[in-house]
Amino acid sequence: MNVFGIFLTLALYSTFSWIYSKRRTPLLNPVLLSILTISIILKVGDISYERYMESARFLSFLLGPAVVSLAIPLYKQIRIIKEYSKEIAIGIIVGGSVAILSAVYILKAFHAPEILQRSFAPKSITTAIAMGVSEKIGGIPALTAVLVILTGILGNAFAPELLNLFGIKDRVARGLATGVSSHGLGTARIILEDELSGAVSGLAMALNGVYTAFVLPAVINFLV
């Protein structure tokens, strides 16, 4: 069994996590640095992405159980989440709508082609759902997947710092904003800082995926 991808990924992430623990700055974010370093190694070593992914397939397999495990903090925080259910529902509708509208209208302002607007529109939801939505609304699923990952990396690297900068201290609001805007990668960061925020972020990520999957195909032709 070729474990090159597993070893490379875990070694880099562990190293960058240790560095980040010594100096907490968004520019030393371990996810961001791991992705950049792996990309450079593959390019310099003339190693195809397919070969790397084949050897790291076990890590991809673990992604499913990792997502399911978000149900544990959600269950532990269920009382508070029920108490804020109305605010969470409104936040998902508003946040999900803003994510769609901002992507489309910023591109329209720069006269971007319609196919790019359709590809950018689902960028804030998780990859599997976003690619399906992109294909349904006439976007480019591969491009949408790249945009989703970039959005998640930015959320993982900068979301807590941006929330601190704007003085947002409410734990439910911090989780809601992170989950709606930067899906799983943002959730992976915020849950390390606070379990309640992480639980709300995981819930917001899932519900925003459902909301966007139903709403975006119905409205995209009126927007572009």
Side-chain angles (χ1 to χ4, degrees):
M1 179 181 178
N2 184 353
V3 295
F4 165 74
I6 296 175
F7 175 78
L8 178 65
T9 305
L10 293 181
L12 289 174
Y13 185 75
S14 299
T15 301
F16 289 130
S17 294
W18 179 81
I19 295 172
Y20 182 73
S21 69
K22 300 297 180 184
R23 183 172 174 77
R24 287 185 171 272
T25 168
L27 295 178
L28 293 179
N29 181 274
V31 173
L32 175 63
L33 292 182
S34 296
I35 292 174
L36 289 175
T37 307
I38 289 172
S39 300
I40 293 171
I41 291 174
L42 296 186
K43 181 68 176 177
V44 173
D46 195 24
I47 302 169
S48 69
Y49 176 74
E50 288 75 15
R51 181 182 168 196
Y52 162 74
M53 275 307 299
E54 180 62 30
S55 62
R57 189 169 299 281
F58 181 67
L59 294 180
S60 299
F61 166 76
L62 293 178
L63 186 60
V67 173
V68 173
S69 69
L70 291 174
I72 297 173
L74 186 63
Y75 176 77
K76 291 167 69 176
Q77 303 292 340
I78 193 65
R79 185 187 60 80
I80 299 177
I81 289 174
K82 281 183 177 177
E83 184 179 338
Y84 284 91
S85 58
K86 183 179 176 182
E87 289 82 0
I88 291 173
I90 294 172
I92 289 168
I93 293 172
V94 173
S97 300
V98 169
I100 295 170
L101 294 174
S102 60
V104 171
Y105 282 104
I106 287 175
L107 287 173
K108 284 175 78 78
F110 287 95
H111 307 290
E114 184 178 314
I115 194 169
L116 285 184
Q117 297 174 36
R118 293 174 183 271
S119 302
F120 270 70
K123 64 172 178 51
S124 292
I125 57 177
T126 193
T127 310
I129 301 175
M131 291 181 70
V133 172
S134 178
E135 184 176 14
K136 186 171 184 179
I137 65 176
I140 306 171
L143 175 59
T144 300
V146 173
L147 296 168
V148 169
I149 294 170
L150 288 175
T151 302
I153 291 172
L154 290 174
N156 186 285
F158 299 107
E161 285 73 17
L162 282 175
L163 293 169
N164 293 338
L165 181 65
F166 286 99
I168 299 172
K169 299 178 180 177
D170 185 275
R171 298 161 68 198
V172 173
R174 289 173 68 88
L176 189 56
T178 304
V180 168
S181 63
S182 51
H183 52 83
L185 284 172
T187 300
R189 168 78 189 280
I190 200 79
I191 201 170
L192 295 176
E193 303 194 359
D194 180 70
E195 186 177 73
L196 174 58
S197 296
V200 174
S201 182
L203 178 64
M205 172 188 72
L207 293 180
N208 187 41
V210 175
Y211 171 74
T212 302
F214 276 102
V215 170
L216 187 53
V219 302
I220 189 65
N221 289 333
F222 296 102
L223 298 177
V224 300

